[in-house]
Amino acid sequence: MHGDSLKLLSKMNPECIDMVFADPPYFLSNDGITCNSGRMVSVNKGEWDKIGNNSPNVEEKHRFNRKWIKLCKRILKPNGSIWISGTLHNIYSIGMALEQEGFKIINNITWQKTNPPPNLACRCFTHSTETILWAQKADKKAHHYFNYELMKEQNGGKQMKDVWLGSLTKPSEKKAGKHPTQKPEYLLERIVQASTKENDIILDPFCGSGTTGVVAKRLGRRFIGIDTEEEYLTICKKRLETESNGEKEL
């Protein structure tokens, strides 16, 4: 769906979604620089990474996070769960917003990147991790689904830990077009397999280039994606068509 997540989420039926994966704006677009493929590039992502025409202050960011998280709670089934990805720029607000809006955090996953971009300023440690919070409704009657046995099997017969090691998104996953914060498919495969069953409905309110949708389709789940940028939805559709046609990404 093309549009504002806040508006579209408010129109959805309550308690209709099994799982939400959200990779919300990090609000990094502050005219700074970073490194991409060995080149110095702007950190600016686009107008969608701002509130209004300016980078937001702390209060504005937190209000935004509380709004969309509250709307996601309304549409989640009683036993549903939500996953939210972020960095130090927004994850602390996300964590507080989850608790304020009636969620209980199940896990704090650390995604450690094996090939992070170098730190150009050389005044701090290289930023090589992102945090993914997994939460359920803070209700004693809520019982989130967790495929413990599959996760243990994928981890060589041992309990899977909350630190996940892996590379950044492969170039082959960006053949349909590039998105500045595209998540790798293996990351979403683990999340979807761990917390949903076949035919469950997964919602991504900031779906970007559609990694959540591609993985949902591959694993026999149903998918709803929302984004404000038509350009990214076009990429998402191309990737879903490729997945439907059984074309393998190398």
Side-chain angles (χ1 to χ4, degrees):
M1 294 189 284
H2 177 228
D4 184 334
S5 290
L6 298 180
K7 293 177 181 177
L8 293 174
L9 288 171
S10 65
K11 295 178 181 178
M12 294 178 66
N13 292 331
E15 298 187 350
C16 65
I17 300 296
D18 295 288
M19 191 267 272
V20 173
F21 175 81
D23 191 17
Y26 293 7
F27 303 118
L28 287 172
S29 298
N30 59 5
D31 298 324
I33 57 170
T34 186
C35 182
N36 186 8
S37 301
R39 295 182 297 113
M40 195 179 295
V41 296
S42 170
V43 298
N44 292 351
K45 314 296 182 190
E47 291 304 311
W48 55 268
D49 196 42
K50 303 176 182 179
I51 292 179
N53 293 317
N54 301 301
S55 295
N57 60 35
V58 173
E59 289 78 14
E60 287 174 316
K61 283 196 291 187
H62 194 60
R63 276 197 297 271
F64 172 75
N65 287 329
R66 287 197 66 173
K67 280 181 184 177
W68 71 262
I69 287 172
K70 182 177 183 177
L71 290 168
C72 285
K73 185 189 177 192
R74 187 184 73 85
I75 61 168
L76 261 184
K77 292 180 180 179
N79 292 334
S81 63
I82 184 170
W83 298 77
I84 308 175
S85 175
T87 62
L88 59 89
H89 308 89
N90 71 339
I91 202 65
Y92 300 106
S93 167
I94 296 287
M96 179 173 280
L98 280 168
E99 295 195 334
Q100 288 174 323
E101 296 303 332
F103 279 96
K104 174 188 174 184
I105 296 174
I106 303 164
N107 270 124
N108 179 104
I109 305 294
T110 299
W111 171 36
Q112 184 181 351
K113 305 167 189 176
T114 54
N115 56 339
N119 188 309
L120 296 178
C122 301
R123 293 179 60 81
C124 62
F125 300 105
T126 301
H127 298 287
S128 64
T129 64
E130 288 194 36
T131 298
I132 307 171
L133 297 179
W134 183 29
Q136 67 169 29
K137 293 182 179 182
D139 184 337
K140 290 181 180 179
K141 296 179 181 178
H143 299 287
H144 68 280
Y145 174 72
F146 177 46
N147 197 335
Y148 170 80
E149 291 301 331
L150 179 60
M151 294 299 103
K152 186 176 179 181
E153 179 187 323
Q154 291 182 359
N155 196 45
K158 298 179 181 179
Q159 285 189 345
M160 190 173 286
K161 298 177 181 178
D162 61 0
V163 176
W164 299 352
L165 184 68
S167 66
L168 294 169
T169 307
K170 296 185 295 185
S172 62
E173 294 177 12
K174 298 187 177 186
K175 285 190 292 187
K178 294 184 179 180
H179 185 285
T181 62
Q182 184 173 323
K183 292 295 178 286
E185 291 177 13
Y186 73 81
L187 201 65
L188 269 298
E189 284 179 355
R190 180 172 292 178
I191 287 169
V192 169
Q193 289 179 323
S195 58
T196 65
K197 302 173 184 176
E198 203 165 327
N199 288 320
D200 276 358
I201 302 174
I202 298 171
L203 169 80
D204 189 333
F206 311 100
C207 71
S209 57
T211 300
T212 307
V214 170
V215 170
K217 191 166 192 65
R218 184 178 301 159
L219 298 175
R221 276 68 165 172
R222 292 175 287 170
F223 168 68
I224 299 171
I226 303 172
D227 207 276
T228 58
E229 305 299 309
E230 222 164 347
E231 172 193 354
Y232 297 145
L233 289 178
T234 300
I235 297 172
C236 179
K237 288 176 184 177
K238 286 181 182 177
R239 295 181 69 197
L240 286 169
E241 286 168 7
T242 299
E243 188 65 32
S244 295
N245 294 331
E247 297 175 33
K248 200 75 175 168
E249 291 183 330
L250 301 175

